[in-house]
PDB file of all heavy atoms in Angstrom:
ATOM      1  N   LYS A  28     250.698 -43.641  14.649  1.00 97.00           N
ATOM      2  CA  LYS A  28     251.245 -43.421  15.993  1.00 97.00           C
ATOM      3  C   LYS A  28     250.172 -43.605  17.062  1.00 97.00           C
ATOM      4  O   LYS A  28     250.383 -44.291  18.068  1.00 97.00           O
ATOM      5  CB  LYS A  28     251.820 -42.010  16.077  1.00 97.00           C
ATOM      6  CG  LYS A  28     252.319 -41.605  17.456  1.00 97.00           C
ATOM      7  CD  LYS A  28     253.647 -42.229  17.804  1.00 97.00           C
ATOM      8  CE  LYS A  28     254.193 -41.629  19.098  1.00 97.00           C
ATOM      9  NZ  LYS A  28     255.574 -42.046  19.372  1.00 97.00           N
ATOM     10  N   THR A  29     249.008 -43.007  16.847  1.00 98.00           N
ATOM     11  CA  THR A  29     247.932 -43.115  17.838  1.00 98.00           C
ATOM     12  C   THR A  29     247.446 -44.556  17.963  1.00 98.00           C
ATOM     13  O   THR A  29     247.171 -45.036  19.078  1.00 98.00           O
ATOM     14  CB  THR A  29     246.773 -42.173  17.458  1.00 98.00           C
ATOM     15  OG1 THR A  29     247.229 -40.825  17.559  1.00 98.00           O
ATOM     16  CG2 THR A  29     245.583 -42.362  18.391  1.00 98.00           C
ATOM     17  N   GLU A  30     247.355 -45.256  16.848  1.00 98.00           N
ATOM     18  CA  GLU A  30     246.976 -46.668  16.901  1.00 98.00           C
ATOM     19  C   GLU A  30     247.950 -47.456  17.758  1.00 98.00           C
ATOM     20  O   GLU A  30     247.547 -48.284  18.596  1.00 98.00           O
ATOM     21  CB  GLU A  30     246.940 -47.252  15.494  1.00 98.00           C
ATOM     22  CG  GLU A  30     246.614 -48.755  15.469  1.00 98.00           C
ATOM     23  CD  GLU A  30     246.816 -49.383  14.110  1.00 98.00           C
ATOM     24  OE1 GLU A  30     247.821 -49.055  13.444  1.00 98.00           O
ATOM     25  OE2 GLU A  30     245.978 -50.213  13.719  1.00 98.00           O
ATOM     26  N   ALA A  31     249.248 -47.194  17.591  1.00 98.00           N
ATOM     27  CA  ALA A  31     250.266 -47.922  18.346  1.00 98.00           C
ATOM     28  C   ALA A  31     250.160 -47.628  19.842  1.00 98.00           C
ATOM     29  O   ALA A  31     250.169 -48.547  20.671  1.00 98.00           O
ATOM     30  CB  ALA A  31     251.657 -47.554  17.833  1.00 98.00           C
ATOM     31  N   VAL A  32     250.054 -46.353  20.183  1.00 98.00           N
ATOM     32  CA  VAL A  32     249.977 -45.973  21.601  1.00 98.00           C
ATOM     33  C   VAL A  32     248.699 -46.513  22.235  1.00 98.00           C
ATOM     34  O   VAL A  32     248.710 -47.013  23.370  1.00 98.00           O
ATOM     35  CB  VAL A  32     250.069 -44.442  21.747  1.00 98.00           C
ATOM     36  CG1 VAL A  32     249.813 -44.026  23.191  1.00 98.00           C
ATOM     37  CG2 VAL A  32     251.448 -43.952  21.294  1.00 98.00           C
ATOM     38  N   ASP A  33     247.576 -46.442  21.518  1.00 98.00           N
ATOM     39  CA  ASP A  33     246.314 -46.964  22.040  1.00 98.00           C
ATOM     40  C   ASP A  33     246.381 -48.468  22.292  1.00 98.00           C
ATOM     41  O   ASP A  33     245.622 -49.004  23.103  1.00 98.00           O
ATOM     42  CB  ASP A  33     245.167 -46.664  21.071  1.00 98.00           C
ATOM     43  CG  ASP A  33     244.717 -45.209  21.124  1.00 98.00           C
ATOM     44  OD1 ASP A  33     245.147 -44.488  22.047  1.00 98.00           O
ATOM     45  OD2 ASP A  33     243.938 -44.793  20.240  1.00 98.00           O
ATOM     46  N   ASN A  34     247.271 -49.151  21.582  1.00 98.00           N
ATOM     47  CA  ASN A  34     247.429 -50.594  21.754  1.00 98.00           C
ATOM     48  C   ASN A  34     248.573 -50.958  22.706  1.00 98.00           C
ATOM     49  O   ASN A  34     248.966 -52.125  22.782  1.00 98.00           O
ATOM     50  CB  ASN A  34     247.647 -51.260  20.396  1.00 98.00           C
ATOM     51  CG  ASN A  34     246.349 -51.454  19.628  1.00 98.00           C
ATOM     52  OD1 ASN A  34     245.596 -52.392  19.860  1.00 98.00           O
ATOM     53  ND2 ASN A  34     246.069 -50.527  18.712  1.00 98.00           N
ATOM     54  N   GLY A  35     249.093 -49.970  23.410  1.00 97.00           N
ATOM     55  CA  GLY A  35     250.089 -50.235  24.437  1.00 97.00           C
ATOM     56  C   GLY A  35     251.528 -50.230  23.964  1.00 97.00           C
ATOM     57  O   GLY A  35     252.421 -50.639  24.703  1.00 97.00           O
ATOM     58  N   PHE A  36     251.793 -49.741  22.740  1.00 97.00           N
ATOM     59  CA  PHE A  36     253.145 -49.681  22.211  1.00 97.00           C
ATOM     60  C   PHE A  36     253.656 -48.243  22.237  1.00 97.00           C
ATOM     61  O   PHE A  36     252.908 -47.299  22.458  1.00 97.00           O
ATOM     62  CB  PHE A  36     253.177 -50.224  20.776  1.00 97.00           C
ATOM     63  CG  PHE A  36     252.839 -51.684  20.662  1.00 97.00           C
ATOM     64  CD1 PHE A  36     251.518 -52.102  20.486  1.00 97.00           C
ATOM     65  CD2 PHE A  36     253.828 -52.650  20.751  1.00 97.00           C
ATOM     66  CE1 PHE A  36     251.200 -53.446  20.391  1.00 97.00           C
ATOM     67  CE2 PHE A  36     253.522 -54.005  20.651  1.00 97.00           C
ATOM     68  CZ  PHE A  36     252.203 -54.397  20.473  1.00 97.00           C
ATOM     69  N   ASP A  37     254.959 -48.099  21.993  1.00 96.00           N
ATOM     70  CA  ASP A  37     255.564 -46.765  21.964  1.00 96.00           C
ATOM     71  C   ASP A  37     255.528 -46.135  20.578  1.00 96.00           C
ATOM     72  O   ASP A  37     255.456 -44.919  20.445  1.00 96.00           O
ATOM     73  CB  ASP A  37     257.035 -46.837  22.410  1.00 96.00           C
ATOM     74  CG  ASP A  37     257.197 -47.415  23.795  1.00 96.00           C
ATOM     75  OD1 ASP A  37     256.587 -46.859  24.731  1.00 96.00           O
ATOM     76  OD2 ASP A  37     257.918 -48.428  23.952  1.00 96.00           O
ATOM     77  N   GLU A  38     255.603 -46.974  19.545  1.00 97.00           N
ATOM     78  CA  GLU A  38     255.761 -46.448  18.198  1.00 97.00           C
ATOM     79  C   GLU A  38     255.231 -47.447  17.181  1.00 97.00           C
ATOM     80  O   GLU A  38     255.052 -48.630  17.473  1.00 97.00           O
ATOM     81  CB  GLU A  38     257.241 -46.159  17.934  1.00 97.00           C
ATOM     82  CG  GLU A  38     257.577 -45.471  16.633  1.00 97.00           C
ATOM     83  CD  GLU A  38     256.804 -44.176  16.414  1.00 97.00           C
ATOM     84  OE1 GLU A  38     255.681 -44.267  15.885  1.00 97.00           O
ATOM     85  OE2 GLU A  38     257.319 -43.102  16.765  1.00 97.00           O
ATOM     86  N   ALA A  39     254.956 -46.939  15.972  1.00 98.00           N
ATOM     87  CA  ALA A  39     254.447 -47.761  14.879  1.00 98.00           C
ATOM     88  C   ALA A  39     255.520 -47.962  13.818  1.00 98.00           C
ATOM     89  O   ALA A  39     256.379 -47.101  13.615  1.00 98.00           O
ATOM     90  CB  ALA A  39     253.224 -47.100  14.247  1.00 98.00           C
ATOM     91  N   ILE A  40     255.462 -49.090  13.144  1.00 98.00           N
ATOM     92  CA  ILE A  40     256.251 -49.334  11.945  1.00 98.00           C
ATOM     93  C   ILE A  40     255.259 -49.522  10.805  1.00 98.00           C
ATOM     94  O   ILE A  40     254.328 -50.326  10.905  1.00 98.00           O
ATOM     95  CB  ILE A  40     257.151 -50.577  12.097  1.00 98.00           C
ATOM     96  CG1 ILE A  40     258.228 -50.313  13.153  1.00 98.00           C
ATOM     97  CG2 ILE A  40     257.789 -50.952  10.757  1.00 98.00           C
ATOM     98  CD1 ILE A  40     259.092 -51.519  13.469  1.00 98.00           C
ATOM     99  N   MET A  41     255.462 -48.785   9.722  1.00 98.00           N
ATOM    100  CA  MET A  41     254.499 -48.772   8.634  1.00 98.00           C
ATOM    101  C   MET A  41     255.011 -49.568   7.443  1.00 98.00           C
ATOM    102  O   MET A  41     256.215 -49.590   7.156  1.00 98.00           O
ATOM    103  CB  MET A  41     254.180 -47.340   8.225  1.00 98.00           C
ATOM    104  CG  MET A  41     253.703 -46.481   9.381  1.00 98.00           C
ATOM    105  SD  MET A  41     253.201 -44.823   8.866  1.00 98.00           S
ATOM    106  CE  MET A  41     251.615 -45.180   8.088  1.00 98.00           C
ATOM    107  N   LEU A  42     254.095 -50.227   6.755  1.00 98.00           N
ATOM    108  CA  LEU A  42     254.406 -50.982   5.543  1.00 98.00           C
ATOM    109  C   LEU A  42     253.914 -50.218   4.319  1.00 98.00           C
ATOM    110  O   LEU A  42     252.993 -49.410   4.402  1.00 98.00           O
ATOM    111  CB  LEU A  42     253.736 -52.359   5.581  1.00 98.00           C
ATOM    112  CG  LEU A  42     254.000 -53.252   6.800  1.00 98.00           C
ATOM    113  CD1 LEU A  42     253.235 -54.573   6.642  1.00 98.00           C
ATOM    114  CD2 LEU A  42     255.485 -53.513   6.994  1.00 98.00           C
ATOM    115  N   THR A  43     254.508 -50.523   3.170  1.00 97.00           N
ATOM    116  CA  THR A  43     254.022 -49.983   1.909  1.00 97.00           C
ATOM    117  C   THR A  43     252.775 -50.748   1.477  1.00 97.00           C
ATOM    118  O   THR A  43     252.426 -51.775   2.066  1.00 97.00           O
ATOM    119  CB  THR A  43     255.095 -50.108   0.819  1.00 97.00           C
ATOM    120  OG1 THR A  43     255.308 -51.505   0.546  1.00 97.00           O
ATOM    121  CG2 THR A  43     256.407 -49.482   1.250  1.00 97.00           C
ATOM    122  N   GLU A  44     252.130 -50.280   0.441  1.00 95.00           N
ATOM    123  CA  GLU A  44     250.967 -50.987  -0.087  1.00 95.00           C
ATOM    124  C   GLU A  44     251.343 -52.394  -0.549  1.00 95.00           C
ATOM    125  O   GLU A  44     250.522 -53.311  -0.508  1.00 95.00           O
ATOM    126  CB  GLU A  44     250.355 -50.203  -1.246  1.00 95.00           C
ATOM    127  CG  GLU A  44     249.579 -48.955  -0.827  1.00 95.00           C
ATOM    128  CD  GLU A  44     248.309 -49.288  -0.071  1.00 95.00           C
ATOM    129  OE1 GLU A  44     247.777 -50.406  -0.249  1.00 95.00           O
ATOM    130  OE2 GLU A  44     247.831 -48.439   0.697  1.00 95.00           O
ATOM    131  N   SER A  45     252.587 -52.592  -0.962  1.00 95.00           N
ATOM    132  CA  SER A  45     253.028 -53.914  -1.413  1.00 95.00           C
ATOM    133  C   SER A  45     253.483 -54.802  -0.257  1.00 95.00           C
ATOM    134  O   SER A  45     253.845 -55.956  -0.474  1.00 95.00           O
ATOM    135  CB  SER A  45     254.178 -53.766  -2.424  1.00 95.00           C
ATOM    136  OG  SER A  45     255.295 -53.135  -1.826  1.00 95.00           O
ATOM    137  N   GLY A  46     253.460 -54.265   0.968  1.00 96.00           N
ATOM    138  CA  GLY A  46     253.778 -55.069   2.137  1.00 96.00           C
ATOM    139  C   GLY A  46     255.213 -55.018   2.604  1.00 96.00           C
ATOM    140  O   GLY A  46     255.597 -55.756   3.509  1.00 96.00           O
ATOM    141  N   HIS A  47     256.025 -54.156   2.021  1.00 98.00           N
ATOM    142  CA  HIS A  47     257.404 -54.017   2.469  1.00 98.00           C
ATOM    143  C   HIS A  47     257.495 -53.002   3.608  1.00 98.00           C
ATOM    144  O   HIS A  47     256.696 -52.070   3.683  1.00 98.00           O
ATOM    145  CB  HIS A  47     258.315 -53.581   1.315  1.00 98.00           C
ATOM    146  CG  HIS A  47     258.494 -54.618   0.270  1.00 98.00           C
ATOM    147  ND1 HIS A  47     258.313 -54.356  -1.078  1.00 98.00           N
ATOM    148  CD2 HIS A  47     258.818 -55.932   0.352  1.00 98.00           C
ATOM    149  CE1 HIS A  47     258.536 -55.457  -1.773  1.00 98.00           C
ATOM    150  NE2 HIS A  47     258.828 -56.432  -0.926  1.00 98.00           N
ATOM    151  N   VAL A  48     258.483 -53.199   4.456  1.00 98.00           N
ATOM    152  CA  VAL A  48     258.721 -52.260   5.553  1.00 98.00           C
ATOM    153  C   VAL A  48     259.116 -50.909   4.967  1.00 98.00           C
ATOM    154  O   VAL A  48     259.969 -50.834   4.079  1.00 98.00           O
ATOM    155  CB  VAL A  48     259.821 -52.785   6.495  1.00 98.00           C
ATOM    156  CG1 VAL A  48     260.172 -51.740   7.541  1.00 98.00           C
ATOM    157  CG2 VAL A  48     259.377 -54.084   7.159  1.00 98.00           C
ATOM    158  N   SER A  49     258.503 -49.843   5.462  1.00 98.00           N
ATOM    159  CA  SER A  49     258.828 -48.501   4.986  1.00 98.00           C
ATOM    160  C   SER A  49     259.596 -47.719   6.049  1.00 98.00           C
ATOM    161  O   SER A  49     260.787 -47.481   5.925  1.00 98.00           O
ATOM    162  CB  SER A  49     257.564 -47.746   4.596  1.00 98.00           C
ATOM    163  OG  SER A  49     257.867 -46.455   4.124  1.00 98.00           O
ATOM    164  N   GLU A  50     258.918 -47.340   7.135  1.00 97.00           N
ATOM    165  CA  GLU A  50     259.554 -46.541   8.179  1.00 97.00           C
ATOM    166  C   GLU A  50     258.668 -46.521   9.411  1.00 97.00           C
ATOM    167  O   GLU A  50     257.593 -47.125   9.436  1.00 97.00           O
ATOM    168  CB  GLU A  50     259.804 -45.114   7.677  1.00 97.00           C
ATOM    169  CG  GLU A  50     258.558 -44.367   7.246  1.00 97.00           C
ATOM    170  CD  GLU A  50     258.863 -42.961   6.734  1.00 97.00           C
ATOM    171  OE1 GLU A  50     259.966 -42.740   6.207  1.00 97.00           O
ATOM    172  OE2 GLU A  50     257.991 -42.092   6.886  1.00 97.00           O
ATOM    173  N   GLY A  51     259.125 -45.818  10.452  1.00 97.00           N
ATOM    174  CA  GLY A  51     258.285 -45.595  11.619  1.00 97.00           C
ATOM    175  C   GLY A  51     257.249 -44.527  11.302  1.00 97.00           C
ATOM    176  O   GLY A  51     257.106 -44.090  10.159  1.00 97.00           O
ATOM    177  N   SER A  52     256.522 -44.084  12.309  1.00 96.00           N
ATOM    178  CA  SER A  52     255.502 -43.063  12.044  1.00 96.00           C
ATOM    179  C   SER A  52     256.146 -41.761  11.579  1.00 96.00           C
ATOM    180  O   SER A  52     255.554 -41.011  10.804  1.00 96.00           O
ATOM    181  CB  SER A  52     254.648 -42.819  13.293  1.00 96.00           C
ATOM    182  OG  SER A  52     255.408 -42.188  14.308  1.00 96.00           O
ATOM    183  N   ALA A  53     257.354 -41.490  12.044  1.00 93.00           N
ATOM    184  CA  ALA A  53     258.065 -40.277  11.622  1.00 93.00           C
ATOM    185  C   ALA A  53     259.577 -40.482  11.718  1.00 93.00           C
ATOM    186  O   ALA A  53     260.305 -39.547  12.045  1.00 93.00           O
ATOM    187  CB  ALA A  53     257.628 -39.087  12.462  1.00 93.00           C
ATOM    188  N   GLU A  54     260.021 -41.697  11.453  1.00 96.00           N
ATOM    189  CA  GLU A  54     261.441 -42.018  11.579  1.00 96.00           C
ATOM    190  C   GLU A  54     261.847 -43.020  10.501  1.00 96.00           C
ATOM    191  O   GLU A  54     261.051 -43.866  10.120  1.00 96.00           O
ATOM    192  CB  GLU A  54     261.765 -42.661  12.947  1.00 96.00           C
ATOM    193  CG  GLU A  54     261.196 -41.950  14.155  1.00 96.00           C
ATOM    194  CD  GLU A  54     259.800 -42.458  14.518  1.00 96.00           C
ATOM    195  OE1 GLU A  54     259.369 -43.473  13.928  1.00 96.00           O
ATOM    196  OE2 GLU A  54     259.148 -41.829  15.374  1.00 96.00           O
ATOM    197  N   ASN A  55     263.078 -42.931  10.045  1.00 97.00           N
ATOM    198  CA  ASN A  55     263.629 -43.961   9.175  1.00 97.00           C
ATOM    199  C   ASN A  55     264.048 -45.169   9.998  1.00 97.00           C
ATOM    200  O   ASN A  55     264.264 -45.077  11.210  1.00 97.00           O
ATOM    201  CB  ASN A  55     264.833 -43.415   8.393  1.00 97.00           C
ATOM    202  CG  ASN A  55     264.435 -42.376   7.354  1.00 97.00           C
ATOM    203  OD1 ASN A  55     264.889 -41.246   7.392  1.00 97.00           O
ATOM    204  ND2 ASN A  55     263.587 -42.751   6.420  1.00 97.00           N
ATOM    205  N   LEU A  56     264.169 -46.313   9.333  1.00 98.00           N
ATOM    206  CA  LEU A  56     264.402 -47.588  10.020  1.00 98.00           C
ATOM    207  C   LEU A  56     265.689 -48.247   9.523  1.00 98.00           C
ATOM    208  O   LEU A  56     265.973 -48.252   8.318  1.00 98.00           O
ATOM    209  CB  LEU A  56     263.199 -48.497   9.788  1.00 98.00           C
ATOM    210  CG  LEU A  56     263.231 -49.909  10.378  1.00 98.00           C
ATOM    211  CD1 LEU A  56     261.819 -50.331  10.804  1.00 98.00           C
ATOM    212  CD2 LEU A  56     263.780 -50.935   9.362  1.00 98.00           C
ATOM    213  N   PHE A  57     266.446 -48.801  10.459  1.00 98.00           N
ATOM    214  CA  PHE A  57     267.651 -49.577  10.157  1.00 98.00           C
ATOM    215  C   PHE A  57     267.585 -50.905  10.904  1.00 98.00           C
ATOM    216  O   PHE A  57     267.142 -50.953  12.054  1.00 98.00           O
ATOM    217  CB  PHE A  57     268.915 -48.824  10.584  1.00 98.00           C
ATOM    218  CG  PHE A  57     269.272 -47.665   9.703  1.00 98.00           C
ATOM    219  CD1 PHE A  57     268.646 -46.439   9.873  1.00 98.00           C
ATOM    220  CD2 PHE A  57     270.233 -47.785   8.714  1.00 98.00           C
ATOM    221  CE1 PHE A  57     268.966 -45.358   9.065  1.00 98.00           C
ATOM    222  CE2 PHE A  57     270.562 -46.715   7.897  1.00 98.00           C
ATOM    223  CZ  PHE A  57     269.934 -45.496   8.073  1.00 98.00           C
ATOM    224  N   MET A  58     268.066 -51.965  10.255  1.00 98.00           N
ATOM    225  CA  MET A  58     268.024 -53.306  10.827  1.00 98.00           C
ATOM    226  C   MET A  58     269.396 -53.956  10.681  1.00 98.00           C
ATOM    227  O   MET A  58     270.011 -53.895   9.614  1.00 98.00           O
ATOM    228  CB  MET A  58     266.971 -54.132  10.079  1.00 98.00           C
ATOM    229  CG  MET A  58     266.808 -55.559  10.547  1.00 98.00           C
ATOM    230  SD  MET A  58     265.494 -56.415   9.591  1.00 98.00           S
ATOM    231  CE  MET A  58     266.396 -56.791   8.086  1.00 98.00           C
ATOM    232  N   LEU A  59     269.889 -54.569  11.762  1.00 98.00           N
ATOM    233  CA  LEU A  59     271.144 -55.318  11.719  1.00 98.00           C
ATOM    234  C   LEU A  59     270.826 -56.803  11.639  1.00 98.00           C
ATOM    235  O   LEU A  59     270.084 -57.343  12.465  1.00 98.00           O
ATOM    236  CB  LEU A  59     271.980 -55.045  12.975  1.00 98.00           C
ATOM    237  CG  LEU A  59     273.304 -55.820  13.078  1.00 98.00           C
ATOM    238  CD1 LEU A  59     274.284 -55.379  12.004  1.00 98.00           C
ATOM    239  CD2 LEU A  59     273.922 -55.640  14.470  1.00 98.00           C
TER     240      LEU A  59
END
């Protein structure tokens, strides 16, 4: 979260070690 805000964004999206999308810094993610 701090990395995202320091870079001018509102929120972060985190990947797993294998490179798949996991979730936000503290939120689940949905995509249409």
